[in-house]
Amino acid sequence: MLKKIITHYRLKKAMLAEAEKTPSHFDNAIIEWSAPPRHKPQKGTAWFIIMSFAVAALLYYAIASQNWIFAVAIIVATIAYLVDHTEEHKELEIKISEYGIKIGKKKIPYSGIRAFWMLYHPPFIGQLHIRTHAKTSPDFIIELNGSDPVRLRKYLTRHIVEWEGKEEGFLDICTRLLRL
């Protein structure tokens, strides 16, 4: 019985791997570029020194006020940040086709996209935001990374509703200014 389950699992895994190799309609790109999974701002030695003092001050406050949960939360958040931001992320291939958008291996048909908007203020920010109908993780932020925003917008407005006037949120501004 166990041998059948293992064989079935291996067969299913092989079929999925083969399906990923097979080109789909999403691979017939009209517009394509590669971009990092997220923007990584340059951080100098001064940034690390200032953030180290900030973390140390918050830890001191948490321990002095005997707020152990806050102290553990600071330590966990610091470790999570360091682990996530020290490893290298490979660039994602972004493909816009007549069927939808392919971000890396993720394929999103136009029918699954609620709306899009672009934030473009060079040289600081250049992003394509996509809101899908998904209940979990409905938003995708794609770095334009030198792609032509006018051409991209012109093509996407033929297939998707554009939310005009959307601006960068307060937390996004803080994250960008603090280079987190």
Side-chain angles (χ1 to χ4, degrees), residues 2 9 12 28 30 37 39 50 53-54 63 74 96 100 103 117 122 125 129 132 136-137 140 143 155-156 162 172 176:
L2 182 61
Y9 172 74
K12 191 172 184 179
N28 298 332
I30 294 168
H39 178 67
I50 291 169
F53 279 121
I63 292 170
I74 291 169
I96 311 287
I103 306 166
W117 66 95
I125 189 166
H129 291 249
T132 65
T136 57
S137 301
F140 289 91
E143 294 291 326
Y155 184 78
L156 288 177
E162 179 183 15
D172 294 329
R176 184 170 45 84

Side-chain angles (χ1 to χ4, degrees), residues 1-13:
M1 179 69 178
L2 182 61
K3 190 173 183 179
K4 279 186 176 182
I5 292 172
I6 292 172
T7 305
H8 176 72
Y9 172 74
R10 286 182 181 160
L11 182 63
K12 191 172 184 179
K13 188 176 177 182

Side-chain angles (χ1 to χ4, degrees), residues 89-106:
H89 297 284
K90 63 180 180 178
E91 300 243 326
L92 296 173
E93 271 191 35
I94 315 298
K95 294 184 178 185
I96 311 287
S97 71
E98 60 184 76
Y99 295 98
I101 301 173
K102 184 176 178 187
I103 306 166
K105 294 179 182 178
K106 176 97 174 141

Side-chain angles (χ1 to χ4, degrees), residues 96 101 110 116 128 152-160:
I96 311 287
I101 301 173
Y110 289 127
F116 83 95
L128 169 64
L152 184 61
R153 181 184 174 276
K154 189 180 279 188
Y155 184 78
L156 288 177
T157 52
R158 288 191 261 161
H159 299 283
I160 314 169

Side-chain angles (χ1 to χ4, degrees), residues 143-176:
E143 294 291 326
L144 293 178
N145 213 27
S147 182
D148 183 9
V150 175
R151 181 174 173 234
L152 184 61
R153 181 184 174 276
K154 189 180 279 188
Y155 184 78
L156 288 177
T157 52
R158 288 191 261 161
H159 299 283
I160 314 169
V161 174
E162 179 183 15
W163 282 350
E164 294 182 36
K166 283 285 261 184
E167 290 295 326
E168 197 173 14
F170 176 73
L171 288 177
D172 294 329
I173 292 171
C174 291
T175 302
R176 184 170 45 84

Side-chain angles (χ1 to χ4, degrees), residues 6-144:
I6 292 172
T7 305
H8 176 72
Y9 172 74
R10 286 182 181 160
L11 182 63
K12 191 172 184 179
K13 188 176 177 182
M15 288 172 60
L16 286 172
E18 190 62 34
E20 284 181 9
K21 292 177 188 173
T22 308
S24 69
H25 294 296
F26 285 89
D27 291 318
N28 298 332
I30 294 168
I31 302 171
E32 69 179 300
W33 72 96
S34 61
R38 70 173 158 270
H39 178 67
K40 283 184 99 172
Q42 296 294 325
K43 300 172 187 141
T45 307
W47 184 91
F48 284 104
I49 291 171
I50 291 169
M51 285 301 158
S52 297
F53 279 121
V55 168
L58 287 171
L59 268 176
Y60 175 77
Y61 172 76
I63 292 170
S65 63
Q66 295 181 353
N67 193 342
W68 309 116
I69 294 174
F70 184 49
V72 169
I74 291 169
I75 292 168
V76 168
T78 303
I79 291 170
Y81 180 84
L82 291 174
V83 167
D84 186 48
H85 285 74
T86 53
E87 69 181 42
E88 281 296 317
H89 297 284
K90 63 180 180 178
E91 300 243 326
L92 296 173
E93 271 191 35
I94 315 298
K95 294 184 178 185
I96 311 287
S97 71
E98 60 184 76
Y99 295 98
I101 301 173
K102 184 176 178 187
I103 306 166
K105 294 179 182 178
K106 176 97 174 141
K107 298 171 186 170
I108 310 166
Y110 289 127
S111 62
I113 299 173
R114 184 178 297 170
F116 83 95
W117 66 95
M118 295 176 82
L119 297 176
Y120 192 69
H121 305 289
F124 305 109
I125 189 166
Q127 299 173 335
L128 169 64
H129 291 249
I130 297 172
R131 168 114 356 127
T132 65
H133 293 291
K135 298 286 184 211
T136 57
S137 301
D139 292 338
F140 289 91
I141 300 173
I142 305 167
E143 294 291 326
L144 293 178

